[in-house]
């Protein structure tokens, strides 16, 4: 058997599910059994290690795993020598400062001399240092939101997704100190053979991510408006243009970025586009 690239993923939870999903979208099939802590892909030289989230950066730094899918917040907090190769667009959250709802907040100076409860002391300390703030950091491993209600702290620094947990505990977000999403990280000393496998994996990941961020668009337009529409919709290089049976009309095919979608659609309509169809893209090889 040839050499395999070892990837660490969270052993349970949403991050595990999303990590395996994107690997599957890359065409990698993993033979998972119940409660397995190690599994191999049978159509790609990849071995998956299911590990505790907080342990993964150390395993990658030590070379037990070559790469990992993990949240940026964990990479920053653990302060290990890892290389962030690719942001993956899921498990988005932010590390934020929060205070009781009835506290009047007028800016960062409020935190000087205050007690802050957190499970992310290193990330918090970096933020405090950058802003010349001095706080009393109370490190707790869970249920951070309860700290102000029991008198342990004046505020908290914790991960926030929707903010509903803060709301339920009588808190409000006042400062986002770090934005995070899942990312692919690597040991900085991967061997040549494994680097070649990793390059193949990154190529597939980028193709999948590009497809998620773009849509295929088809539309009909009068020929005299084609140049105006091309200015709005250049595509990957340029749109495909095909004549229609109806004289004086053509069909244009192109790709549109998800972030620009509605603004571009409005411009297309103003330029006489009709019969606009939007189709998801499964893979996009650039």
């Amino acid at each position: 058997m040839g050499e395999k690239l070892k990837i660490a993923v969270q052993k349970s939870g949403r991050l595990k599910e999303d990590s395996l999903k994107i690997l599957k979208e890359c065409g990698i099939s993993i033979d998972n059994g119940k409660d397995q802590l190690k599994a191999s892909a049978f159509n790609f030289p990849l071995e998956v290690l299911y590990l505790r989230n907080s342990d993964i950066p150390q395993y990658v730094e030590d070379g037990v795993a070559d790469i990992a899918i993990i949240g940026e917040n964990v990479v920053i907090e653990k302060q290990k020598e890892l290389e962030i190769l690719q942001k993956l667009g899921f498990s988005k959250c932010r590390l934020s400062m929060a205070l009781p709802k009835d506290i009047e907040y007028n800016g960062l100076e409020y935190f000087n001399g205050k007690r802050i409860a957190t499970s992310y002391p290193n990330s918090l300390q970096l933020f405090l240092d950058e802003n010349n703030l001095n706080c009393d950091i109370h490190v707790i491993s869970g249920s951070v939101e309860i700290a102000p209600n029991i008198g342990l702290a004046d505020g908290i620094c914790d991960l926030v997704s929707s903010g509903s947990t803060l709301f339920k505990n009588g808190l409000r977000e006042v400062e986002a100190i770090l934005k995070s999403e899942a990312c692919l990280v690597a040991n900085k000393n991967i061997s040549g053979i494994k680097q070649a496998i990793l390059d193949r994996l990154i190529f597939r990941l980028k193709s999948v991510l590009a497809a998620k961020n773009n849509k295929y668009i088809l539309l009909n337009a009068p020929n005299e408006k084609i140049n105006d529409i091309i200015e709005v919709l250049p595509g990957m290089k340029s749109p495909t243009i095909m004549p229609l049976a109806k004289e004086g009309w053509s069909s244009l095919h192109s790709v549109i970025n998800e972030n620009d979608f509605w603004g571009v659609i409005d411009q297309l309509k103003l330029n006489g586009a009709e019969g606009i169809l939007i189709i998801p893209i499964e893979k996009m090889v650039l």
Side-chain angles (χ1 to χ4, degrees):
M1 291 181 65
E3 194 164 5
K4 292 185 177 182
L5 188 69
K6 294 181 179 179
I7 181 170
V9 302
Q10 190 179 43
K11 69 178 181 180
S12 62
R14 182 61 183 270
L15 183 56
K16 173 189 176 181
E17 295 170 5
D18 289 340
S19 299
L20 295 179
K21 179 182 177 184
I22 199 167
L23 291 175
K24 183 177 181 181
E25 290 170 340
C26 290
I28 299 172
S29 300
I30 298 164
D31 185 15
N32 284 311
K34 186 177 180 181
D35 299 325
Q36 270 187 287
L37 297 179
K38 185 171 71 170
S40 293
F42 55 81
N43 60 349
F44 194 84
L46 189 73
E47 186 173 66
V48 182
L49 308 178
Y50 298 105
L51 303 171
R52 197 172 71 168
N53 199 48
S54 59
D55 293 337
I56 288 176
Q58 185 68 63
Y59 279 113
V60 177
E61 185 183 60
D62 291 344
V64 175
D66 303 302
I67 60 174
I69 295 177
I70 194 169
E72 284 178 274
N73 58 294
V74 179
V75 177
I76 293 169
E77 176 61 28
K78 294 300 181 180
Q79 299 182 341
K80 302 300 180 183
E81 291 294 319
L82 306 177
E83 184 178 1
I84 295 179
L85 302 175
Q86 179 70 52
K87 294 185 178 182
L88 299 175
F90 57 85
S91 294
K92 292 185 177 182
C93 61
R94 55 196 178 274
L95 186 63
S96 294
M97 310 282 278
L99 297 172
K101 292 178 182 177
D102 57 356
I103 295 295
E104 184 178 348
Y105 179 72
N106 296 312
L108 287 175
E109 286 298 320
Y110 171 86
F111 291 106
N112 256 328
K114 296 296 193 295
R115 300 167 300 160
I116 307 298
T118 187
S119 300
Y120 296 88
N122 293 326
S123 302
L124 175 56
Q125 189 63 63
L126 285 172
F127 176 77
L128 296 176
D129 292 344
E130 288 170 359
N131 291 278
N132 297 313
L133 298 172
N134 183 27
C135 295
D136 183 9
I137 299 177
H138 288 254
V139 182
I140 53 180
S141 59
S143 302
V144 175
E145 297 86 358
I146 199 174
N149 294 327
I150 61 175
L152 178 64
D154 300 299
I156 70 167
C157 177
D158 201 18
L159 288 182
V160 178
S161 294
S162 67
S164 61
T165 302
L166 293 180
F167 179 81
K168 291 175 184 177
N169 286 277
L171 302 172
R172 64 186 176 102
E173 184 180 6
V174 295
E175 296 285 346
I177 71 173
L178 170 68
K179 291 185 177 180
S180 173
E181 64 183 87
C183 58
L184 183 71
V185 301
N187 179 283
K188 292 187 174 182
N189 299 302
I190 291 180
S191 69
I193 294 175
K194 289 188 175 182
Q195 183 63 53
I197 300 170
L198 176 57
D199 291 343
R200 290 167 57 196
L201 175 60
I202 291 174
F203 175 80
R204 294 190 186 194
L205 284 170
K206 287 184 175 180
S207 297
V208 169
L209 293 172
K212 289 179 183 293
N213 293 329
N214 292 277
K215 297 286 186 287
Y216 192 75
I217 182 170
L218 302 87
L219 60 92
N220 299 328
N223 289 341
E224 65 269 18
K225 288 290 187 177
I226 287 176
N227 288 335
D228 294 330
I229 288 175
I230 288 174
E231 289 296 317
V232 177
L233 192 72
M236 296 171 68
K237 288 188 177 178
S238 64
T240 299
I241 302 173
M242 296 182 290
L244 294 178
K246 183 177 180 180
E247 187 174 350
W249 282 74
S250 294
S251 174
L252 282 77
H253 298 204
S254 190
V255 172
I256 183 172
N257 189 277
E258 184 72 35
N259 296 327
D260 303 328
F261 181 81
W262 288 112
V264 170
I265 293 298
D266 290 341
Q267 290 297 312
L268 293 175
K269 294 289 289 181
L270 288 173
N271 281 288
E274 297 180 2
I276 300 172
L277 298 178
I278 309 298
I279 302 172
I281 301 172
E282 184 175 337
K283 303 288 187 299
M284 190 169 171
V285 180
L286 300 175

